[in-house]
């Protein structure tokens, strides 16, 4: 008993860690509320049964792709086209493995869920240096709460469907605002301007090349530029 | 259109590809976890990824058309300004989105 008390004093309890995770994820949940509602409304307005909305939200769990997928499914697109579209839209996720603290999530099943639920928002919330020491309970509670919130919002949106007047538009700006705010938070970590300026340049060039595939092109150029800057800086250090 | 088997197949295919993209890199990057290159890239990725995602989210906004760029610029200014001033993610996102919805739904339309 005494040993247990000492242990609990040294390390925060699982419950505290879960609550800490909720505190971290709450703003992201608020941010995707309008988006989840909009997705649910879109599912119903496209002509699908309302319950497809929560199924879509729970199984795909990649916001941008879900919006795109509704259009593809409505057009009865071949499964191969759905696979390729998903590959292009979600390819950016391969870069998230670089810093996401999966090494803190022990156990094969938990790791499987943690990678499954590695959305843009979860990546951004864990893209702080402190996350490398977060507990499994905190990381998983962030992901699970975000997952549950998303499915509930999408279901509510589908339920409200016809009640939201068609002239109310622009709810999708919530995601833009979320990325802006998370970008400001990420900027505070290093306070270096050249990196965001470089990323902005990559995004603009990619948008000019192909608006549909700009995410993949921009991310690829940006990572290539970072690798290039690393190679240059080590050469300079070694006097080559 | 409402063939449930087709819809479910489409959802499962999309989910499988998404999961593969999210999980596979961990196995491939595992040997490189402690490399200085990955540390260099990983440190600079988050802010850059958010900038790129922001531009992507605004890709349908035309910077040369006032009714398209105006509401976006106003809502961005409110979001950034509030965030620098108050530092509350929830407040910044909510206020920025509310401004955008109001302007695009009732004024610019």
């Amino acid at each position: 008993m005494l040993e247990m008390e000492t242990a609990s004093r040294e390390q925060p309890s699982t419950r505290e860690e879960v609550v800490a995770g909720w505190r971290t994820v709450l703003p992201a949940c608020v941010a995707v509320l309008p988006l989840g509602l909009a997705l649910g409304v879109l599912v119903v307005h496209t002509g699908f049964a309302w319950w497809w909305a929560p199924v879509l939200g729970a199984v795909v769990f990649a916001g941008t792709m879900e919006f795109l997928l509704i259009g593809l499914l409505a057009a009865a697109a071949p499964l191969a086209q759905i696979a390729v579209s998903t590959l292009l839209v979600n390819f950016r996720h391969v870069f998230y493995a670089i810093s996401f603290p999966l090494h803190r999530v022990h156990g094969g099943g938990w790791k499987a869920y943690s990678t499954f639920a590695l959305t843009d928002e979860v990546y951004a919330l864990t893209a702080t240096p402190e996350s490398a020491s977060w507990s499994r309970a905190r990381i998983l509670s962030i992901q699970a709460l975000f997952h549950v919130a998303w499915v509930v919002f999408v279901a509510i949106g589908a339920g409200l469907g016809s009640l939201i007047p068609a002239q109310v538009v622009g709810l999708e700006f919530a995601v833009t605002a979320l990325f802006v705010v998370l970008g400001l938070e990420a900027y505070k970590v290093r306070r270096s301007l050249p990196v965001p300026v470089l990323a902005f340049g990559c995004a603009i060039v990619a948008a000019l090349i192909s608006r549909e595939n700009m995410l993949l092109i921009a991310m690829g150029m940006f990572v290539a530029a970072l690798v290039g800057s690393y190679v240059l800086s080590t050469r300079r250090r070694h006097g080559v | 259109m409402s063939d449930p088997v087709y819809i479910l197949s489409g959802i499962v295919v999309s989910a499988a590809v998404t999961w593969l993209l999210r999980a596979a890199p961990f196995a491939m990057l595992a040997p490189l976890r402690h490399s200085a290159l990955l540390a260099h890239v990983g440190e600079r990725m988050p802010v850059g990824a958010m900038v790129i995602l922001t531009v992507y989210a605004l890709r349908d906004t035309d910077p040369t058309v006032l009714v398209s760029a105006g509401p976006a610029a106003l809502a961005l200014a409110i979001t950034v300004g509030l965030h620098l001033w108050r530092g509350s993610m929830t407040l910044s996102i909510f206020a920025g989105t509310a401004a955008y919805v109001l302007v695009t739904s009732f004024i610019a339309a």
Side-chain angles (χ1 to χ4, degrees):
Chain A
M1 194 59 209
L2 261 173
E3 272 168 35
M4 271 178 67
E5 276 177 14
T6 332
S8 71
R9 225 172 285 140
E10 278 165 5
Q11 260 187 340
S13 70
T14 304
R15 186 197 290 204
E16 282 166 3
E17 284 297 287
V18 168
V19 171
W22 287 7
R23 265 197 218 110
T24 305
V25 79
L26 217 57
C29 290
V30 173
V32 299
L33 169 66
L35 201 76
L37 295 179
L39 183 71
V41 171
L42 187 65
V43 167
V44 175
H45 283 196
T46 310
F48 296 107
W50 73 269
W51 47 266
W52 279 116
V55 171
L56 183 69
V59 177
V60 180
F61 198 31
T64 312
M65 189 57 219
E66 288 168 49
F67 278 94
L68 198 64
L69 191 57
I70 295 170
L72 289 168
L73 291 172
L79 294 181
Q81 194 187 327
I82 290 175
V84 171
S85 303
T86 310
L87 194 71
L88 286 174
V89 172
N90 285 342
F91 195 81
R92 64 186 183 280
H93 287 119
V94 303
F95 302 118
Y96 295 172
I98 293 171
S99 65
F100 183 74
L102 190 69
H103 59 282
R104 301 292 301 166
V105 182
H106 306 289
W110 294 120
K111 269 194 205 298
Y113 176 73
S114 196
T115 52
F116 171 79
L118 181 46
T119 62
D120 294 315
E121 294 81 4
V122 166
Y123 164 72
L125 291 170
T126 56
T128 59
E130 306 93 71
S131 74
S133 60
W134 283 357
S135 66
R136 176 175 78 183
R138 186 186 296 209
I139 295 167
L140 287 175
S141 82
I142 288 173
Q143 296 190 282
L145 188 71
F146 191 63
H147 200 173
V148 170
W150 178 248
V151 174
V152 169
F153 297 160
V154 172
I156 293 173
L160 293 177
S162 52
L163 296 179
I164 295 178
Q167 69 263 31
V168 174
V169 294
L171 285 170
E172 75 281 356
F173 188 83
V175 171
T176 313
L178 175 68
F179 292 144
V180 168
V181 168
L182 292 174
L184 287 172
E185 291 296 316
Y187 171 77
K188 284 182 190 163
V189 175
R190 293 189 74 246
R191 295 196 183 273
S192 150
L193 215 49
V195 174
V197 168
L198 170 73
F200 185 74
C202 290
I204 296 300
V205 171
L208 292 175
I209 295 172
S210 162
R211 213 151 61 132
E212 293 314 305
N213 302 322
M214 70 155 285
L215 259 187
L216 181 58
I217 299 170
M219 290 278 189
M221 286 199 302
F222 178 62
V223 172
L226 288 183
V227 171
S229 78
Y230 173 80
V231 172
L232 282 179
S233 71
T234 48
R235 274 202 191 158
R236 224 173 283 141
R237 216 174 301 142
H238 294 300
V240 180
Chain B
M1 181 173 95
S2 46
D3 171 16
V5 176
Y6 164 71
I7 298 174
L8 195 63
S9 310
I11 288 175
V12 169
V13 164
S14 187
V17 173
T18 303
W19 193 2
L20 191 74
L21 289 170
R22 286 174 178 171
F26 285 101
M28 292 186 285
L29 292 173
L32 303 169
R33 174 118 300 164
H34 299 292
S35 86
L37 169 64
L38 274 197
H40 175 93
V41 174
E43 234 171 61
R44 291 160 179 78
M45 265 288 289
V47 65
M50 290 311 131
V51 170
I52 291 170
L53 284 169
T54 303
V55 176
Y56 173 73
L58 290 168
R59 71 194 179 288
D60 291 326
T61 305
D62 188 338
T64 59
V65 179
L66 184 66
V67 286
S68 176
L74 175 76
L76 280 177
I78 289 173
T79 307
V80 172
L82 267 180
H83 198 69
L84 294 178
W85 180 39
R86 308 295 307 185
S88 156
M89 283 177 68
T90 310
L91 176 71
S92 321
I93 294 166
F94 228 89
T97 307
Y100 189 79
V101 169
L102 280 175
V103 175
T104 50
S105 301
F106 304 111
I107 299 172

